[in-house]
Amino acid sequence: MPCVKDSNVYASSIAFVMSFIAFCAGAAAIGKVGEAFASMGSGTSHAAWARMTVIHLGISAFFNLLSFCCICLSTFHFEQAMRFSLAHTMTTATAFCVLRICAFVTFLVQLAYSSLMMVGMTTVLTLDFICHMGSTTRFHAQEVIWEIGNFTLTGRDPFDPYYTGSVSESRAADTKIVSVASMMQHLSLERFCPFSENLGQQLFIFWLSSIVSLVSQALMAIALNGEKERISLHEEHDEVRGISALAPLVGSPGGSPR
């Protein structure tokens, strides 16, 4: 069936379209999302992660376009393109094996970024919820944030005369990748809340774009693996046929000398 025969082409084309849409959606939402993350202060690295996520979305889209072109060159007969040695090199089983490894690596990187964006989205939406609770709730929340930040920075709580807290234990309990202590030391709701208006939809689009790109890389890895197996079979067949064609010449009286 044609759909089964060209399944690698269909899968790679869908993967490229998904990654391109993910890049466009992420690039469109990065402005609002970046402002919100930056307003949380220098203690958080969410703004840098958001920028790196968009960069990786662009890299994934370009890689998927390259992989799609290679699969099309391998599946269909393009006489003009096959004049160049690069076209032959990019349609070998070795090339598809390398592309498959690259697709798996980009999948792992995108998995990490999508997880970080999930943490960032949860943090920002929680703070956004506090911002909409009114000035009293915002004031008390800022007090807690200030006390946590002051304690983790100096090791002392000025409102605790008995010094019951342990800075070593708090640092040991702090998360390693997304440091809550570092975030609290620079977080100001007064500066953050003006950037939190209508942020939920933009954050969801941004996080969804990273998930779509993640799925596209998995789909592209499957397509490249299938094309690599198909090309390997053809290369083995051509190699066996070439050896069979040389066998009568080697065994004949006028064959190659020993």
Side-chain angles (χ1 to χ4, degrees):
M1 295 178 63
C3 61
V4 176
K5 180 181 177 181
D6 299 332
S7 59
N8 295 328
V9 178
Y10 297 144
S12 61
S13 62
I14 294 173
F16 167 66
V17 172
M18 290 176 64
S19 62
F20 180 74
I21 293 175
F23 171 70
C24 293
I30 185 60
K32 184 72 174 178
V33 173
E35 286 182 354
F37 284 151
S39 66
M40 296 174 67
S42 59
T44 177
S45 54
H46 288 103
W49 292 338
R51 290 191 295 269
M52 290 300 299
T53 299
V54 174
I55 293 174
H56 189 265
L57 290 177
I59 294 174
S60 299
F62 175 77
F63 170 79
N64 286 351
L65 175 61
L66 176 63
S67 300
F68 171 64
C69 292
C70 291
I71 291 178
C72 288
L73 284 174
S74 173
T75 305
F76 305 110
H77 187 62
F78 295 98
E79 294 183 356
Q80 298 296 329
M82 287 303 171
R83 293 180 180 180
F84 304 99
S85 59
L86 180 62
H88 288 280
T89 303
M90 295 302 295
T91 54
T92 60
T94 302
F96 282 112
C97 182
V98 173
L99 290 174
R100 179 185 61 181
I101 295 173
C102 292
F104 183 69
V105 171
T106 55
F107 171 82
L108 293 179
V109 174
Q110 193 59 47
L111 178 63
Y113 278 124
S114 62
S115 300
L116 291 174
M117 287 302 101
M118 182 65 179
V119 174
M121 183 177 68
T122 304
T123 303
V124 170
L125 291 182
T126 302
L127 294 176
D128 182 49
F129 177 74
I130 295 175
C131 289
H132 289 83
M133 292 291 290
S135 59
T136 304
T137 303
R138 190 186 307 179
F139 175 78
H140 288 300
Q142 185 62 60
E143 277 189 325
V144 174
I145 292 173
W146 184 86
E147 289 190 21
I148 294 174
N150 183 75
F151 180 77
T152 54
L153 181 63
T154 64
R156 296 182 61 184
D157 185 354
F159 297 101
D160 182 10
Y162 301 103
Y163 302 108
T164 56
S166 173
V167 66
S168 59
E169 291 181 1
S170 65
R171 289 173 180 173
D174 189 21
T175 52
K176 304 304 179 184
I177 299 177
V178 185
S179 177
V180 176
S182 180
M183 187 185 307
M184 292 296 185
Q185 291 168 11
H186 303 83
L187 179 59
S188 173
L189 293 179
E190 183 180 359
R191 184 173 57 176
F192 168 79
C193 289
F195 292 96
S196 65
E197 295 294 333
N198 303 320
L199 188 60
Q201 183 179 2
Q202 295 295 322
L203 267 173
F204 178 75
I205 292 174
F206 192 80
W207 174 73
L208 186 62
S209 65
S210 64
I211 296 297
V212 171
S213 179
L214 177 68
V215 175
S216 72
Q217 295 312 108
L219 186 60
M220 182 59 75
I222 294 173
L224 290 170
N225 182 70
E227 192 65 18
K228 183 258 180 188
E229 295 299 326
R230 189 183 72 86
I231 293 299
S232 297
L233 184 62
H234 282 283
E235 289 179 351
E236 290 177 3
H237 177 71
D238 292 339
E239 184 179 354
V240 171
R241 189 170 60 179
I243 295 174
S244 300
L246 291 175
L249 296 177
V250 174
S252 63
S256 59
R258 295 182 180 272

